[in-house]
């Protein structure tokens, strides 16, 4: 267990949970859920106009094995990055690998649990990686996704989000 995971956290916590795998790698996981059906949540993950609302743009073929350019347009300086769609099983699973960053693989799985569509986000990092900033970044993007799917308010700008959520990850607000 790392400092990002507190034993008292309920399983419904929105914060990312980091666990160490037997080989020393670190697994970052998030779970989010909505009353919307899996097709609608999948559409928010993959349809160009809905993807742009919370994350960015993807240019390229949309199929398993396809390569394209993913641009996280909500960053201060958006940069297109080469990615490959490793798996795509609508509306259940999407796995994306970054071409330039070895071992960067994000898995997004949807399932219906207790009548709600649940998104399970997983990224595994090399042993010894400080995943705090990655966890904060993905938390922010998943809050933006949650707003796009569930009609909730978004996390605001990065500085506001960091001031509010950073302490949950051990990051003190910047003065």
């Amino acid at each position: 267990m790392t400092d990002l995971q507190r034993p008292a956290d309920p399983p419904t916590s929105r914060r990312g949970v980091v666990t160490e795998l037997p080989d020393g790698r670190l697994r970052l996981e998030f779970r989010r859920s909505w009353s919307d059906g899996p097709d609608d949540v999948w559409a928010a993950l993959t349809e160009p106009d809905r993807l742009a609302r919370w994350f960015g743009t993807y240019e390229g073929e949309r199929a398993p094995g396809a390569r394209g350019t993913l641009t996280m347009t909500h960053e201060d300086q958006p940069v297109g990055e080469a990615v490959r769609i490793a798996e795509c099983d609508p509306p259940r699973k999407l796995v994306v690998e970054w071409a330039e960053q070895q071992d960067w693989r994000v898995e997004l799985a949807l399932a219906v649990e207790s009548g709600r569509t649940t998104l399970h986000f997983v990224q595994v990092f090399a042993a010894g990686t400080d995943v705090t900033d990655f966890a904060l970044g993905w938390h922010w993007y998943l809050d933006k996704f949650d707003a796009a799917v569930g009609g909730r308010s978004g996390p605001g700008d990065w500085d506001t989000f960091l001031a509010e959520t950073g302490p949950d990850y051990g990051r003190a607000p910047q003065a």
Side-chain angles (χ1 to χ4, degrees):
M1 185 165 24
T2 72
D3 62 343
L4 295 180
Q5 178 184 11
R6 297 180 189 158
D9 285 343
T12 58
S13 173
R14 298 177 63 73
R15 188 166 14 94
V17 175
V18 177
T19 53
E20 186 172 309
L21 299 174
D23 62 4
R25 293 179 304 149
L26 301 173
R27 179 184 176 102
L28 171 63
E29 296 182 71
F30 289 91
R31 285 193 182 269
R32 303 290 171 92
S33 69
W34 303 269
S35 59
D36 305 74
D39 290 330
D40 186 58
V41 176
W42 181 263
L45 276 174
T46 60
E47 288 180 3
D49 62 325
R50 294 186 69 189
L51 179 66
R53 292 180 206 161
W54 68 274
F55 191 74
T57 60
Y58 173 78
E59 295 179 22
E61 185 182 353
R62 295 170 181 269
R67 297 182 184 278
T69 302
L70 183 65
T71 304
M72 298 166 74
T73 57
H74 298 275
E75 298 289 314
D76 286 338
Q77 298 178 355
V79 175
E81 298 184 66
V83 297
R84 182 177 85 83
I85 298 173
E87 295 179 46
C88 184
D89 181 18
R92 289 177 282 285
K93 189 170 186 179
L94 178 63
V95 179
V96 179
E97 299 173 336
W98 274 249
E100 300 295 320
Q101 299 190 35
Q102 186 178 14
D103 296 331
W104 258 70
R105 177 183 174 104
V106 171
E107 298 181 20
L108 304 159
L110 296 178
V112 176
E113 299 173 0
S114 301
R116 295 179 60 84
T117 301
T118 299
L119 169 68
H120 184 207
F121 171 103
V122 174
Q123 185 174 10
V124 176
F125 296 88
T129 302
D130 180 357
V131 300
T132 303
D133 288 338
F134 299 112
L136 276 163
W138 286 123
H139 186 132
W140 184 68
Y141 274 110
L142 290 171
D143 278 2
K144 291 177 77 58
F145 181 68
D146 186 46
V149 173
R152 298 179 184 101
S153 61
D157 64 32
W158 175 254
D159 291 335
T160 301
F161 169 80
L162 189 57
E164 293 173 357
T165 309
D168 288 342
Y169 290 92
R171 287 281 189 261
Q174 298 178 354

